Amino acid sequence: MTNALEVRDVTFAYDGKGAPVIENINLTLKKGELVSLLGVSGGGKTTLFNVIAGLYRPQQGRVLLDGADITGKTGKISYMLQKDMLLPFRTVEDNVALPLILKGKPRGKRKARKIVGQYFEQFGLEGTQKKYPAELSGGMRQRAALLRTYMFSGEAALLDEPFSALDTITKSEMHRWYLEVMDSIRLSTIFITHDIDEAILLSDRIYLLTGKPGTISDEIIIREPKPRREDFNLTEEFLQYKREIISRIRAEKTDWQTRYSVE
């Protein structure tokens, strides 16, 4: 499996000279993979996403997409934030078509609507084209936002806790749905989460981002084949992954506190 995305030796500080927020970050995303970034709040996960998306230029390191250097270049990778950010005054189809319209390819709303219309059934959105975001459930809004994200760039997507606002049952349904859609459209995904269970259920691999500055302290491979059993989260294998992750996070936290004398 070839790499869709590579982050090499990335270090970033907000003022360019002070203490870095993230340091010496190295990670890969293979084509078709879902990789999670797991860590506590304030560990630098969103900062890393902003670097990968080209919104921030790192003081050190490079970001590569299919081998091409995209460091500091926007518009190369899809990026979806926690909130769906759908425009309330636009229909669902016009929200989804927005990336195409902004890029000017194709010209005109009618052609853009025709292109995105091909994906509505695949994304479980058939019949919502002329509706407005306020008329959709939380799960359907997230589907629309994910389709819009895909229309921005179909190679790799950065998802920053996209399911955190959903109830437990809807979130579980969205997990299964997203993995199915991701496989069908051959999308590669890096996923930010604070939820250990979610990371285990969705990921091929999990990177632990810990410490201050944030660094990749560990990589955990989830060997359970996909699609995963519906009761996987009730198995001993699942619990073993969870124990291992919690143990490693605690060990890293203790080590960091010892080195920097943090109470």
Side-chain angles (χ1 to χ4, degrees):
M1 212 184 308
T2 57
N3 291 332
L5 180 73
E6 293 181 70
V7 177
R8 296 183 181 174
D9 301 317
V10 161
T11 294
F12 176 81
Y14 279 109
D15 59 7
K17 297 179 181 179
V21 179
I22 52 176
E23 188 172 49
N24 295 329
I25 299 292
N26 287 276
L27 62 81
T28 60
L29 174 66
K30 299 183 187 302
K31 292 185 183 295
E33 265 194 322
L34 191 150
V35 169
S36 286
L37 276 176
L38 181 64
V40 298
S41 297
K45 296 184 297 299
T46 299
T47 298
L48 176 56
F49 263 25
N50 287 334
V51 170
I52 295 172
L55 300 173
Y56 299 159
R57 176 174 282 277
Q59 284 74 46
Q60 173 187 306
R62 296 190 299 159
V63 180
L64 305 177
L65 180 65
D66 287 331
D69 192 333
I70 61 165
T71 310
K73 298 177 181 178
T74 59
K76 302 297 183 181
I77 295 180
S78 299
Y79 189 179
M80 179 175 165
L81 303 173
Q82 277 181 276
K83 295 183 179 179
D84 58 63
M85 305 297 286
L86 296 175
L87 300 175
F89 52 86
R90 288 183 181 265
T91 62
V92 173
E93 66 178 353
D94 283 345
N95 267 285
V96 170
L98 193 57
L100 299 180
I101 294 169
L102 291 175
K103 288 183 176 182
K105 297 180 181 180
R107 293 182 180 178
K109 286 185 179 181
R110 184 174 298 177
K111 289 185 178 179
R113 288 169 182 162
K114 186 175 181 179
I115 290 173
V116 300
Q118 302 172 57
Y119 294 94
F120 268 70
E121 183 176 358
Q122 190 173 20
F123 275 71
L125 289 165
E126 190 60 45
T128 68
Q129 286 90 329
K130 301 301 181 184
K131 292 185 177 182
Y132 287 86
E135 300 177 77
L136 303 184
S137 66
M140 294 296 277
R141 288 175 66 105
Q142 289 303 91
R143 290 183 187 222
L146 285 163
L147 177 52
R148 182 184 59 188
T149 300
Y150 175 66
M151 299 312 301
F152 186 81
S153 171
E155 294 182 72
L158 308 176
L159 304 185
D160 190 347
E161 296 193 89
F163 309 132
S164 60
L166 302 177
D167 63 82
T168 302
I169 294 174
T170 304
K171 182 187 287 190
S172 179
E173 293 172 349
M174 288 295 291
H175 286 167
R176 289 194 295 272
W177 168 81
Y178 185 71
L179 291 176
E180 289 172 1
V181 169
M182 185 181 147
D183 182 61
S184 69
I185 61 179
R186 301 177 183 273
L187 182 66
S188 309
T189 304
I190 302 182
F191 190 94
I192 283 179
T193 182
H194 297 95
D195 186 334
I196 295 174
D197 288 20
E198 183 172 60
I200 297 170
L201 289 170
L202 291 178
S203 305
D204 295 290
R205 292 180 294 124
I206 300 170
Y207 285 110
L208 300 185
L209 188 65
T210 59
K212 290 185 180 296
T215 59
I216 300 293
S217 60
D218 229 323
E219 176 191 3
I220 296 166
I221 299 172
I222 308 298
R223 302 191 184 280
E224 177 74 12
K226 291 182 178 179
R228 290 182 177 144
R229 294 169 285 169
E230 287 195 12
D231 65 345
F232 176 52
N233 62 330
L234 303 176
T235 64
E236 179 57 34
E237 294 94 328
F238 179 90
L239 293 175
Q240 185 55 42
Y241 281 122
K242 191 169 183 176
R243 292 187 195 103
E244 180 182 2
I245 291 169
I246 291 172
S247 174
R248 294 190 189 189
I249 290 175
R250 284 176 176 169
E252 286 294 331
K253 184 178 180 180
T254 300
D255 179 62
W256 180 79
Q257 288 176 331
T258 300
R259 284 186 286 121
Y260 293 93
S261 301
V262 176
E263 293 295 332

